[in-house]
Amino acid sequence: MSDEPLIEDDDATVLEARLETGGARLDKALADIFPTLSRARLQALLTEGVVSRDGQAVSSGSAKALPGQYRVIVPPVVSATPAPEAIPLTVLFEDADLIVVDKAAGIAAHPAPGCETGTLVNALLAHCGASLSGIGGVARPGIVHRLDKDTSGVMVAAKSDRAHAGLSALFAAHDIERTYIALTRGAPSPAKGRIETLIGRSSSDRKKMAVLRSGGRTAVTDYVVQKVFGVPARAGGAPMAARVACTLHTGRTHQIRVHLASKGAPILGDATYGSGSPAATVRAAIAEAGLARQALHAAVLGFVHPVTGGALRFETAPPRDMGDLERALEAL
C-alpha cells in the first residue's frame, strides 16, 4: 500500500451501526449505538479521525448527531509502552520539530499485536530520545502516517506537538506530495490515467482491502507507466512487467496495491493482492534479485514544514532489491 493515515490498521476492529434519529450530542448518540465504547473513548476516536457517517468523517463529539450509518475503526490495543531500540536509521532531514527518514523494507511503522518490537517507533525513540515521548500518543509517538511493513521509502515523523498537529492536518487535507514506484505484473492500461474508486474492508477477508461498489472511502491514484519489460515481438503483445509511478491523492490502507491489482497489474511480490502468477522469466528475475516483498517504494514526499512554513521535498531511489529486479527485467 502505500502511504497510509492512522485510520485503518490491519488488525483494527471495524464497528458499524445505524442511528435512526438525530438531535443528541454526537458522542452520546454514538455511545448508545456502540455500547462497548465509552463516551471518553469515542471522543478520542473522533479526534483521531476514525469515525465516519455515510462515508464522511465526523470529528466533533459536541456536534448534533445526524441520522445515518456510522462506522468506527478501533485501532488495536498495544499493551506495552514502546522501548527505544538501537535500529539503524537513514535520516534525510531532522530539526527540532520533525524527522524524515528513508524506511527500509521489513520494518513496521509502529508496534501492533504480534509486532511489538523492531519498529520505526522503537528506532525513533532511541534516536530522538525524550523529545519524542508522548507526542501523538504513547503507542505511536510521532507517527502521523505509515507505510506497510514491506514497503520501503520516505516517511516523516513529528518531534513536537505543534509539528504533529500540523502534519496531521496536512495529511488529513491530502495536501502532501506523494509518489511511489511500483514494479508490476503486466502493465495497467491505458499507460497513463487516474483510478478513482471506493476502498474498504473486503467482505470475504477482513485483513484485506478491496474496491467496493458502495460504502468504503473514496480513493484516488494517478499513475503513469514509465517503462515496460518483456514486450513480445508480435504487434499488440502485452508486456510481462512494468515500472509504474503512482501519485496519491488520498491515503487509504493498501491503496496503491489494491488499485493496481484492480487494473490487472498487481505489484510483483505482493502475496496479498498479486493474484495469478507472473511469467516464468519474471519469476526467475524476482528470484535472481532476491525480492521477498511487494516491489513498492515511496519515492517522493513533499510538504510545507508545519512550523517554519518552508517547502520540503525528499526523493529516494528504490532500494537494492527493486533496483536489481528492474535491471533483470530490462534484460527480458
Side-chain angles (χ1 to χ4, degrees), residues 17-332:
R18 184 162 192 85
L19 181 64
E20 300 295 344
T21 57
R25 273 181 60 111
L26 180 58
D27 53 6
K28 183 179 185 305
L30 292 177
D32 289 339
I33 61 173
F34 296 111
T36 60
L37 300 174
S38 67
R39 282 180 68 178
R41 180 68 170 129
L42 282 161
Q43 287 166 353
L45 293 169
L46 284 161
T47 301
E48 291 175 20
V50 297
V51 182
S52 61
R53 181 183 69 86
D54 296 335
Q56 299 298 314
V58 291
S59 59
S60 175
S62 61
K64 279 191 176 182
L66 299 175
Q69 185 74 14
Y70 284 84
R71 189 169 189 253
V72 181
I73 301 168
V74 184
V77 175
V78 179
S79 58
T81 301
E85 295 180 37
I87 299 169
L89 286 174
T90 300
V91 178
L92 305 177
F93 174 87
E94 183 176 9
D95 64 10
D97 292 291
L98 57 84
I99 181 171
V100 180
V101 301
D102 190 5
K103 186 187 83 69
I107 297 178
H110 56 76
C115 183
E116 287 81 7
T117 61
T119 72
L120 181 61
V121 160
N122 299 111
L124 289 173
L125 286 170
H127 179 85
C128 301
S131 65
L132 194 72
S133 297
I135 296 171
V138 173
R140 303 169 180 173
I143 300 297
V144 293
H145 72 128
R146 67 188 180 97
L147 299 177
D148 293 337
K149 180 178 180 180
D150 288 329
T151 297
S152 56
V154 187
M155 278 189 66
V156 59
K159 293 174 60 180
S160 68
D161 286 324
R162 58 184 180 172
H164 189 274
L167 288 169
S168 296
L170 288 174
F171 276 95
H174 311 302
D175 196 11
I176 301 278
E177 179 189 2
R178 289 173 289 174
T179 299
Y180 292 65
I181 300 300
L183 299 177
T184 64
R185 189 192 80 206
S189 181
K192 181 179 181 180
R194 169 167 288 193
I195 308 170
E196 185 167 356
T197 70
L198 296 171
I199 285 181
R201 297 269 167 187
S202 168
S203 59
S204 60
D205 184 347
R206 300 299 289 176
K207 290 191 175 184
K208 291 179 65 173
M209 309 303 288
V211 169
L212 305 177
R213 292 185 178 180
S214 62
R217 308 178 75 213
T218 300
V220 183
T221 305
D222 286 338
Y223 73 89
V224 59
V225 176
Q226 296 182 324
K227 296 180 183 178
V228 292
F229 309 106
V231 180
R234 66 180 184 278
M240 295 181 185
R243 173 185 164 120
V244 183
C246 297
T247 298
L248 285 178
H249 297 286
T250 55
R252 310 306 177 211
T253 298
H254 300 173
Q255 178 174 319
I256 292 175
R257 298 164 65 188
V258 171
H259 269 172
L260 288 176
S262 76
K263 295 288 287 184
I267 297 174
L268 293 175
D270 192 339
T272 302
Y273 300 103
S275 59
S277 180
T281 51
V282 175
R283 295 199 304 271
I286 291 172
E288 178 185 339
L291 184 85
R293 60 168 180 119
Q294 66 262 9
L296 182 62
H297 176 72
V300 176
L301 181 66
F303 57 94
V304 173
H305 194 296
V307 178
T308 68
L312 297 175
R313 187 180 187 275
F314 305 92
E315 183 170 2
T316 64
R320 181 174 178 176
D321 57 353
M322 283 184 62
D324 287 349
L325 175 57
E326 185 171 338
R327 284 185 286 274
L329 293 172
E330 287 173 340
L332 295 181

